[in-house]
Amino acid sequence: MNQDIRAYNNVLELIGNTPLIRLNSILKDYPGNYYAKIESFNPGHSSKDRIALYIIEQAEKKGILKPGDTIIETTSGNTGFSLAMVSVIKGYKCILAVSSKSSNDKIDMLKNMGAQVYVCPAHVKADDPRSYYQVAKRLHEEIKDSVYINQYFNELNIDAHYASTGPEVWKQTNGKLTHFVACSGTGGTISGTGKYLKEQNSAVRVLGIDAYGSVLKKYHETKEFDPNEIYPYRIEGLGKNLIPSATDFDIIDHFEKVSDEDSAHTARALVKSEGLFLGYTSGAAIQGVKQMAEQGEFTEDSNVIIMLPDHGSRYMSKVYSDDWMNDQGFFDSKNEKDVLQVQF
Ligand code: PMP
């Protein structure tokens, strides 16, 4: 090895330490300073690289994983891609049970990263044998020397963000942040980062973004699981039809619900206003911030850090397809600013 050549030893060394970028345009009508933490700068293009590496390395430390073993997970796509990437470098097999709601782009990416993929129906109950939870559980029982990551019910998901995202945000802001905003899916990001930040300064407000069609906000407010809250929605990776134990509800001060349509328009507006080509939940996060700003959550002195979880390239056949937007009826709305391509 030539010591003069400054190179990373492998792609995993690039995980974490993502940049904070000031938002100059999209939130300019609201009081406060807004900064986005751009998780697509991770080598697997999402925040899930952090938990994939952390959980696998914890299992290695405990002697649970050895080269050649199999890693199994349920995933909306991003966690799968990160696990598959870590598996390539560390020599594991990777099997993923994926929701049929995931875009084809995401599924193809997983396969190309070497994972074996099972696509499971999105709109069945979690305890249905066809659900991606049950499929993953069954595969774990059947395959010897396999580890089930189980991100929704794995405390290490919280620990991963407590160990990396939290300290990064604190350092990058010199402790001057007033609000931390993150989408909640497994809840790992908001819980781990929020816990670290509140330990440094208990006044930091931790704000979660939830989807219409998900139970999280209602559960947070009432401590009761209300199945009437559940209905299909299109945003991938945000909200849930069950209560994940990887969510620490006590850390979260408020949940804001966002719609598929508003989030899609906001994701597209983020590209055009800030040059940030990011995922559907990044649009959801900014949309939630707008709504909370309108409710008076922020003042001129607020320093708001917004986690933007993944890259736009994963949504070419969805949010960034005019045809898809049109099929959803999203172009019928009054707030539409995009212009459909003229057909000749
Ligand atoms: N956005 C996207 C695109 C995701 O895949 C996820 C993870 N499911 C989230 C947001 C939410 O992150 P977390 O699971 O840490 O709550």
Side-chain angles (χ1 to χ4, degrees), residues 48 76 78 183-189 236-237 281 309-310 315:
K48 294 300 184 174
S76 65
N78 282 335
C183 295
S184 204
T186 65
T189 307
E236 300 159 39
T281 57
D310 72 351
Y315 305 89

Side-chain angles (χ1 to χ4, degrees), residues 187-336:
T189 307
I190 192 161
S191 307
T193 313
K195 182 170 174 227
Y196 182 89
L197 296 173
K198 282 198 165 174
E199 279 175 9
Q200 313 313 307
N201 175 4
S202 59
V204 172
R205 292 267 292 164
V206 174
L207 308 170
I209 308 296
D210 189 19
Y212 285 106
S214 152
V215 293
L216 300 177
K217 179 178 169 71
K218 183 86 176 270
Y219 181 78
H220 180 244
E221 288 167 6
T222 64
K223 289 283 164 287
E224 267 166 41
F225 177 85
D226 181 356
N228 294 321
E229 289 288 299
I230 301 171
Y231 53 86
Y233 57 92
R234 299 178 186 85
I235 310 176
E236 300 159 39
L238 164 62
K240 212 57 216 161
N241 58 355
L242 48 73
I243 306 302
S245 65
T247 307
D248 183 346
F249 285 86
D250 294 338
I251 292 289
I252 301 162
D253 294 298
H254 170 79
F255 266 113
E256 186 68 19
K257 279 202 178 198
V258 293
S259 74
D260 287 335
E261 180 167 357
D262 290 340
S263 302
H265 287 297
T266 304
R268 292 167 75 109
L270 187 60
V271 190
K272 291 187 177 121
S273 57
E274 308 279 355
L276 290 169
F277 185 58
L278 304 178
Y280 203 169
T281 57
S282 296
I286 301 291
Q287 177 59 32
V289 168
K290 280 186 181 183
Q291 292 173 199
M292 291 186 283
E294 272 155 26
Q295 294 156 23
E297 174 69 42
F298 311 116
T299 66
E300 292 297 343
D301 297 330
S302 297
N303 291 321
V304 185
I305 308 303
I306 311 162
M307 284 289 279
L308 300 184
D310 72 351
H311 196 259
S313 55
R314 289 183 182 173
Y315 305 89
M316 288 311 296
S317 57
K318 294 204 167 176
V319 175
Y320 296 113
S321 153
D322 282 352
D323 288 341
W324 184 84
M325 291 288 284
N326 205 30
D327 289 347
Q328 312 310 313
F330 290 173
F331 279 151
D332 301 338
S333 113
K334 289 190 202 70
N335 67 5
E336 175 52 39

Side-chain angles (χ1 to χ4, degrees), residues 54-234:
Y54 185 87
I55 295 174
I56 286 175
E57 290 194 336
Q58 291 297 313
E60 288 171 341
K61 275 186 197 147
K62 288 180 198 143
I64 300 167
L65 264 177
K66 53 184 185 322
D69 284 358
T70 301
I71 288 164
I72 297 176
E73 182 54 330
T74 52
T75 167
S76 65
N78 282 335
T79 306
F81 192 73
S82 301
L83 287 169
M85 183 180 78
V86 177
S87 297
V88 166
I89 302 300
K90 290 178 172 282
Y92 302 119
K93 295 185 203 94
C94 184
I95 300 183
L96 305 168
V98 176
S99 157
S100 58
K101 202 162 75 167
S102 298
S103 62
N104 287 335
D105 313 344
K106 276 189 179 174
I107 293 167
D108 285 341
M109 283 172 70
L110 300 176
K111 290 183 181 163
N112 276 288
M113 195 53 103
Q116 200 179 328
V117 181
Y118 291 77
V119 181
C120 308
H123 305 308
V124 296
K125 291 213 178 88
D127 58 1
D128 186 298
R130 295 166 298 166
S131 81
Y132 54 92
Y133 306 105
Q134 300 306 325
V135 169
K137 240 162 93 184
R138 179 172 56 77
L139 289 166
H140 175 46
E141 280 156 19
E142 286 171 9
I143 298 168
K144 205 167 96 24
D145 296 327
S146 67
V147 169
Y148 179 22
I149 301 291
N150 204 7
Q151 59 173 334
Y152 285 90
F153 298 97
N154 191 337
E155 302 268 311
L156 294 175
N157 180 353
I158 299 181
D159 297 350
H161 288 285
Y162 182 86
S164 71
T165 322
E168 279 174 36
V169 170
W170 186 252
K171 266 198 221 122
Q172 285 171 315
T173 59
N174 281 316
K176 297 290 193 308
L177 81 159
T178 55
H179 298 77
F180 177 72
V181 181
C183 295
S184 204
T186 65
T189 307
I190 192 161
S191 307
T193 313
K195 182 170 174 227
Y196 182 89
L197 296 173
K198 282 198 165 174
E199 279 175 9
Q200 313 313 307
N201 175 4
S202 59
V204 172
R205 292 267 292 164
V206 174
L207 308 170
I209 308 296
D210 189 19
Y212 285 106
S214 152
V215 293
L216 300 177
K217 179 178 169 71
K218 183 86 176 270
Y219 181 78
H220 180 244
E221 288 167 6
T222 64
K223 289 283 164 287
E224 267 166 41
F225 177 85
D226 181 356
N228 294 321
E229 289 288 299
I230 301 171
Y231 53 86
Y233 57 92
R234 299 178 186 85

